Structures are given as structure tokens and as C-alpha cells.
Amino acid sequence: MQAVDKGAAIRTVQMLTVAPTKLLTNPRIGEKVEEFSPREVRRFLIGHYEMRYEIKSNTIYVLRLWHTRENR
């Protein structure tokens, strides 16, 4: 069994929690994912994680969040 670095885990959770609030001031910060066109789906990298979100009118929907080592 591998030891867990609790400090790193806490920093990761904080980073993932704060990231979506950045979208409130700059919703188009993420790269557009063309395969979902005409929907405005974007990807935002947060450390080793990727978040996919969609912009509809004045609402931002977080669609998925995963570690980039996952095969998605």
C-alpha cells in the first residue's frame, strides 16, 4: 500500500474547488472542443486534471472532471 501525501491531496482539492470560480470572470478561458459543435463545450486543464464544461446563455455547466492519466 502506497503512503498518501495528505498535504498534496488537500492542495489538489483546493485547486479543483477554486478553478470553476475562475470561469465566472472568464468563461471562455478553456479551449473549445470542436467535436461537440455547435454546443459550446470547452476543456480547462487544472494541474493533472481536465474539466469539461458547457456555456449556455449565462450559465456554465460542469460536465466532467477527470485525471489526465485516465483513458477518456
Side-chain angles (χ1 to χ4, degrees):
M1 190 169 178
Q2 194 171 352
V4 175
D5 180 353
K6 290 182 182 179
I10 290 169
R11 286 188 299 277
T12 298
V13 169
Q14 289 172 338
M15 186 174 56
L16 293 173
T17 303
V18 169
T21 62
K22 292 179 182 181
L23 299 177
L24 296 174
T25 56
N26 193 357
R28 289 177 174 81
I29 194 171
E31 174 187 350
K32 190 167 184 184
V33 182
E34 294 297 334
E35 68 186 271
F36 295 102
S37 189
R39 294 169 51 196
E40 190 170 359
V41 175
R42 294 179 171 268
R43 65 191 290 255
F44 184 44
L45 296 176
I46 309 152
H48 294 290
Y49 290 83
E50 180 174 330
M51 180 176 64
R52 293 265 174 105
Y53 64 98
E54 182 174 8
I55 301 171
K56 282 188 180 180
S57 300
N58 293 327
T59 306
I60 298 170
Y61 297 95
V62 175
L63 305 173
R64 290 183 182 256
L65 175 69
W66 68 88
H67 196 283
T68 55
R69 285 191 283 186
E70 291 183 44
N71 186 17
R72 297 275 177 150

